[in-house]
Amino acid sequence: MDQEHITGDGEGAGRRRFLALATGAAATAAGLAAVAGCGSRDTAKADGAGPGESPKPTGSPEKPEKDGPHRFDVKAENARPGHADWQVTKAGPARAIEGFADKVSVLPGESFGLHVSTTAPRFTVSAYRMGWYGGARARLVWRSEALPGVRQPDHTVDPATRTVRTRWARSATVETKDWPEGCYLLRLDAQGGEGQRFVPVTVRSAATTGRTVVVNAVATWQAYNRWGGYGSYDGPAGGYASRSLAVSFDRPYEYDDGAGLFLVYEAPLLALAERLGIPLAYTTTTDVAREKRLLEGAAAVLSLGHDEYWSPEQRAHVTAARDAGTNIAVLGANCCYRRIRLEASDLGPDRTLVCYKSSYEQDPGFKRGHPATVDFRSPPAADPESSLLGVIYDGYPVDAPYVVTHPGHWLFEGTGAKAGDRFAHLVGVEYDRVNTGFPTPRPIEILAHSPVVCEGRPSHQDTAYYTVPSGAGVFATGTMRWVEALDATGDGRSGSNHGLDARSGALTTKVTENLLRVFAAGPAGRTHPAQDNVRAVYGGSGAGS
């Protein structure tokens, strides 16, 4: 295998621009489809709400019951009326309004600070819980009164790490009393319709026992965030050498709507799981890394469409959950690829993401004995992601049909798929495969085996499922477009959503429904053990290399 090709160290602007195009694309009616691509703190006070003070709630609709962490009812929550007007429809000029929360997640009832910069004299905040809600996809849980707006100071850039820092004053303290667990988008609306932006926040679950855990991939969102001109892939000049070596959560998300990567890579799956009434818990990658026992007793853990940046602690905790019988689903590609370290910022712990990549020897933390923040598969201390995922990242960019090769598998039940059926554009833009030249759990079943050509190199994409002695099942789609495809409709000819069509939407939806129901029932390997077929698929020694 071409190791230089798959390290990704030289990809820089191309890969980041691909994802920027995907997340910045025009939304569908549900706000979820995307267009394809390739690789001093003074703040004025008014109405009793200023820095460090809580905005007064107005017209808080449909106040939910005070469910405890083990009593949250997804079905009851989604039976409440939704609000279809949640989208950002008037982004406005750059910097018209934008902001960030000083915590990526809070427990129900906890508060967080909101830091907003706007050119408008006043603005409002609307908190939408994202889900299904009869197809509306969101419910308005809280809305502030008008708050005083101020243009916050310009950001600075650390010369050593090229980290963008804002040091903005707190605009308001937001209380989450009576907010149910879940994934939230706070919409900032500048006065007079001058602009709108989202701020994502997770109201996380205190416990996950018996539930399927939705993990917001906030570390990956931030790595791809280029607000202030710098991200983990490049700087203002577009070169890899000018990239940030550490990025901060203390800044807004770039892209047109401010939602990070949530709407493209996570919201469609969240809507499906809540529509099915799967018992869910909600958390983020930073929470999984910080809390060793968070996943204890969980039925399943879901890694969503693009979940590339993991700390060693997160990986260890997910692996321990698998080895205790918790199912794992990887509904994307290029998962668990970059090894990171989380450090504090001025606003709190775990708000700086350190990833030096090929420059790890320059990292002061590495010199102090921390693991190298380089790709997991790379030395020193190489630990390829395949030992957890079953599949391994093989390359980008590709755009290829998805080819079903094992239609009799339980995951394909009800799809009507036959051997050799092809689903256009479903493989892309990054893909994984089974390659036993790397550590690979066995037995492992390959369900789809799709030929691809990546920058002139023939290869295959694989969807795979394996089981372990604990009874856990681990499923990996092997393509980054899986979650996006859940919302694919039409004939694909418009070119939107990568050209994915209704056939791909139906296939991915049914397979994911089968997966979620079986995984929610307990250790899938006890009822659906994997039957190894690597040799049959790859032939010869069955190495898959």
Side-chain angles (χ1 to χ4, degrees):
M1 172 151 308
D2 184 351
Q3 291 294 318
E4 182 178 357
H5 174 80
I6 60 177
T7 59
D9 285 336
E11 60 203 20
R15 187 154 178 248
R16 187 197 60 76
R17 286 192 190 113
F18 164 75
L19 290 169
L21 286 170
T23 55
T28 63
L32 298 169
V35 176
C38 266
S40 168
R41 306 189 180 186
D42 293 339
T43 302
K45 293 186 179 182
D47 294 338
E53 298 185 26
S54 302
K56 299 174 183 178
T58 64
S60 182
E62 314 290 344
K63 182 179 290 187
E65 293 87 357
K66 297 180 180 179
D67 294 331
H70 296 286
R71 296 183 58 198
F72 175 69
D73 188 332
V74 169
K75 291 182 179 179
E77 172 60 31
N78 277 268
R80 299 176 183 277
H83 299 85
D85 60 348
W86 58 268
Q87 299 98 330
V88 164
T89 58
K90 299 176 182 178
R95 308 295 185 255
I97 189 165
E98 55 193 346
F100 63 89
D102 62 13
K103 297 177 182 178
V104 298
S105 71
V106 292
L107 291 169
E110 290 184 341
S111 64
F112 61 89
L114 193 60
H115 301 246
V116 177
S117 179
T118 180
T119 56
R122 302 173 77 77
F123 69 95
T124 59
V125 186
S126 302
Y128 291 94
R129 185 187 180 280
M130 309 305 292
W132 173 241
Y133 300 106
R137 299 287 180 104
R139 181 173 75 86
L140 179 64
V141 172
W142 171 85
R143 177 170 285 159
S144 75
E145 293 183 345
L147 304 174
V150 64
R151 180 72 164 86
Q152 300 267 18
D154 289 342
H155 64 274
T156 60
V157 180
D158 186 295
T161 60
R162 298 178 290 277
T163 303
V164 173
R165 304 185 191 281
T166 60
R167 296 187 171 91
W168 288 356
R170 178 181 288 194
S171 304
T173 297
V174 179
E175 307 289 343
T176 66
K177 184 177 183 294
D178 296 323
W179 292 23
E181 303 167 30
C183 306
Y184 284 76
L185 291 179
L186 276 62
R187 195 182 70 202
L188 310 177
D189 287 82
Q191 185 182 59
E194 297 177 11
Q196 298 174 315
R197 289 292 191 282
F198 287 130
V199 175
V201 173
T202 303
V203 177
R204 70 181 185 270
S205 305
T208 65
T209 301
R211 295 196 276 175
T212 294
V213 187
V214 174
V215 183
N216 297 136
V218 295
T220 300
W221 302 357
Q222 196 56 249
Y224 280 90
N225 185 16
R226 203 169 172 267
W227 190 94
Y230 292 85
S232 292
Y233 290 90
D234 59 11
Y240 178 74
S242 67
R243 73 195 184 281
S244 292
L245 303 175
V247 293
S248 174
F249 284 90
D250 299 351
R251 57 177 179 160
Y253 284 105
E254 193 194 26
Y255 310 129
D256 292 339
D257 59 21
L261 303 181
F262 172 76
L263 287 175
V264 174
Y265 292 113
E266 305 193 6
L269 183 282
L270 179 68
L272 174 60
E274 295 209 354
R275 175 172 66 80
L276 296 175
I278 301 296
L280 296 178
Y282 309 82
T283 192
T284 73
T285 51
T286 57
D287 298 311
V288 173
R290 182 183 63 252
E291 299 183 28
K292 183 177 181 179
R293 302 183 63 180
L294 178 61
L295 301 179
E296 285 188 1
V301 175
L302 306 182
S303 166
L304 304 181
H306 195 33
D307 189 11
E308 179 179 352
Y309 287 73
W310 287 42
S311 67
E313 294 82 4
Q314 179 185 351
R315 181 167 174 177
H317 298 162
V318 173
T319 301
R322 178 200 65 180
D323 294 345
T326 296
N327 302 308
I328 311 294
V330 179
L331 301 174
N334 190 220
C335 179
C336 190
Y337 184 63
R338 311 282 192 185
R339 183 191 287 119
I340 66 169
R341 184 173 69 254
L342 293 169
E343 296 182 343
S345 76
D346 292 346
L347 294 180
D350 300 334
R351 292 191 61 81
T352 301
L353 185 159
V354 180
C355 192
Y356 276 65
K357 301 179 182 177
S358 56
S359 303
Y360 70 87
E361 291 178 328
Q362 302 173 19
D363 180 2
F366 176 68
K367 296 175 182 178
R368 294 194 302 268
H370 289 289
T373 54
V374 69
D375 301 345
F376 274 103
R377 68 181 65 179
S378 300
D383 186 14
E385 67 271 21
S386 54
S387 65
L388 172 61
L389 311 181
V391 296
I392 194 158
Y393 174 59
D394 196 56
Y396 117 103
V398 299
D399 182 287
Y402 182 86
V403 182
V404 174
T405 53
H406 191 2
H409 195 272
W410 60 270
L411 280 162
F412 286 122
E413 288 181 5
T415 66
K418 301 178 179 61
D421 279 358
R422 299 161 63 88
F423 296 83
H425 307 293
L426 185 51
V427 176
V429 61
E430 297 183 304
Y431 71 98
D432 301 335
R433 62 174 294 199
V434 171
N435 184 343
T436 57
F438 294 97
T440 304
R442 308 292 283 269
I444 187 167
E445 287 181 279
I446 297 172
L447 315 182
H449 184 60
S450 311
V452 300
V453 177
C454 186
E455 295 186 332
R457 177 177 59 92
S459 188
H460 286 85
Q461 171 272 347
D462 292 323
T463 295
Y465 170 75
Y466 77 85
T467 51
V468 294
S470 70
V474 178
F475 171 76
T477 67
T479 173
M480 190 181 287
R481 290 182 180 161
W482 190 272
V483 172
E484 293 178 83
L486 296 175
D487 279 337
T489 58
D491 59 12
R493 295 178 182 176
S494 68
S496 64
N497 208 29
H498 311 292
L500 293 166
D501 61 16
R503 288 182 67 247
S504 292
L507 177 82
T508 54
T509 296
K510 185 59 180 177
V511 171
T512 307
E513 288 178 356
N514 293 339
L515 175 81
L516 291 173
R517 289 189 171 111
V518 169
F519 273 24
R526 296 177 184 171
T527 54
H528 299 78
Q531 305 294 323
D532 200 291
N533 67 348
V534 176
R535 183 184 295 271
V537 173
Y538 275 97
S541 65
S545 59

